[in-house]
Amino acid sequence: MAIIEIKSLTEPGVELFGSLTEAQLRNRLEPEKGVFIVESPKVIRVALDAGYEPVALLCERKHIEGDAKDIVERCGDLPIYTGERQLLASLTGYTLMRGVLCAMRRPKEKPVAEVCRDASRIVVIDGVVDTTNIGAIFRSAAALGIDGVLLTRNSCDPLNRRAVRVSMGSVFLVPWTWIDDEIGSLKNLGFCTVAMALTEKSVALDDVRLKQEPRLAIVMGTEGDGLPQETIDDADYVVRIPMAHGVDSLNVAAAASVAFWELRKTNMK
């Protein structure tokens, strides 16, 4: 292992964990050089098990032979930066989550057709920008049998540090990619599109016709404005969640969980 004791915040290599913004880490100009940050041993293990490539570790000294020992061993000769807890906190801007951060290589972007090939239930995230909601949607997607996730380019990056943390690593368990074509183009891949929205023509989420559809693309909109009107107009179904006490809507992450469960595959256990 290549353990590097850092004494200051300006040492080469540690900028990955502190001074670079999410946009700089993502490196849109050269995606093959992009990285993202994963926090805590548990989530790092999920990413490694899913085949994500580590680049470097930032680790409190006590965890090198403690909670992160197996991770350190799996990272081979990659640089492992360590130092005093206070110094590491000043570098990252907060006390380390369980004492370990891992920089990982961003994977190559998948084609939409690859993510959808064997899927019967996918979710399309349209314009959702809140990192907590993105992480929560991915966690529900993994738990409730969603086969793939597509995101419009104006949505939050699922590999954002907070989104990864909130998802508890679920972003590594469900295939996902960005969608550039109109959402209605998913019909060409055999999907029936379901726009989650409140309109005069909305049907209830428990409408029997929905569960009879072999392939569903569940479209979730922004936290504030909801889905664009053209997306609603083009959908095969516009669907609402029946609610009590005059409540008209749920947070997008909560609504996604309800929709995923109700529209789950019939053979899911």
Side-chain angles (χ1 to χ4, degrees):
M1 65 185 74
I3 298 176
I4 303 169
E5 186 84 20
I6 62 174
K7 301 296 184 182
S8 76
L9 306 184
T10 59
E11 296 190 32
V14 298
E15 68 276 0
L16 285 174
F17 300 100
S19 60
L20 295 185
T21 64
E22 288 285 348
Q24 289 170 326
L25 289 170
R26 188 171 176 180
N27 202 343
R28 293 191 181 189
L29 295 179
E30 298 181 89
E32 69 279 0
K33 296 182 180 179
V35 297
F36 64 99
I37 305 298
V38 184
E39 302 176 30
S40 89
K42 180 178 180 179
V43 180
I44 293 170
R45 290 186 190 104
V46 174
L48 290 172
D49 290 344
Y52 284 76
E53 178 189 352
V55 174
L57 284 172
L58 182 70
C59 187
E60 284 185 39
R61 191 179 296 106
K62 67 180 181 179
H63 292 303
I64 293 176
E65 292 294 332
D67 291 348
K69 184 177 180 180
D70 63 308
I71 295 171
V72 170
E73 292 172 350
R74 293 177 70 173
C75 288
D77 294 329
L78 294 178
I80 302 167
Y81 300 100
T82 190
E84 297 298 331
R85 183 180 179 88
Q86 186 173 0
L87 176 65
L88 299 186
S90 63
L91 170 65
T92 62
Y94 54 89
T95 302
L96 295 189
M97 178 70 68
R98 298 295 180 89
V100 189
L101 296 179
C102 184
M104 291 189 155
R105 187 76 60 201
R106 291 189 69 92
K108 183 178 179 181
E109 190 173 308
K110 293 182 175 70
V112 168
E114 179 182 330
V115 171
C116 294
R117 183 176 297 122
D118 299 318
S120 64
R121 296 291 185 268
I122 63 171
V123 60
V124 183
I125 300 174
D126 187 350
V128 177
V129 298
D130 183 88
T131 55
T132 298
N133 283 334
I134 290 290
I137 291 172
F138 265 87
R139 190 170 184 182
S140 293
L144 300 175
I146 296 298
D147 301 308
V149 180
L150 305 179
L151 302 100
T152 58
R153 296 282 179 178
N154 59 340
S155 295
C156 169
D157 178 17
L159 296 182
N160 172 284
R161 184 182 300 187
R162 181 170 177 79
V164 171
R165 182 170 71 245
V166 171
S167 82
M168 291 299 293
S170 295
V171 295
F172 309 126
L173 302 178
V174 183
W176 66 271
T177 195
W178 304 99
I179 182 169
D180 294 309
D181 296 332
E182 295 294 328
I183 293 172
S185 66
L186 294 172
K187 297 177 187 180
N188 298 328
L189 296 176
F191 285 91
C192 175
T193 55
V194 175
M196 300 298 298
L198 290 171
T199 71
E200 292 182 357
K201 66 174 185 176
S202 296
V203 300
L205 181 62
D206 57 358
D207 189 299
V208 68
R209 292 172 294 174
L210 295 172
K211 297 216 46 175
Q212 292 174 344
E213 295 287 351
R215 307 187 85 189
L216 289 179
I218 306 164
V219 189
M220 309 297 304
T222 65
E223 296 87 344
D225 298 330
L227 292 170
Q229 189 60 49
E230 58 268 28
T231 300
I232 295 173
D233 293 340
D234 196 39
D236 293 302
Y237 294 95
V238 183
V239 174
R240 71 181 187 280
I241 299 173
M243 288 181 253
H245 299 292
V247 176
D248 62 355
S249 64
L250 296 173
N251 164 276
V252 64
S257 296
V258 174
F260 296 166
W261 172 251
E262 179 61 34
L263 301 179
R264 66 193 183 281
K265 293 169 285 190
T266 56
N267 62 348
M268 189 181 125
K269 297 180 180 180

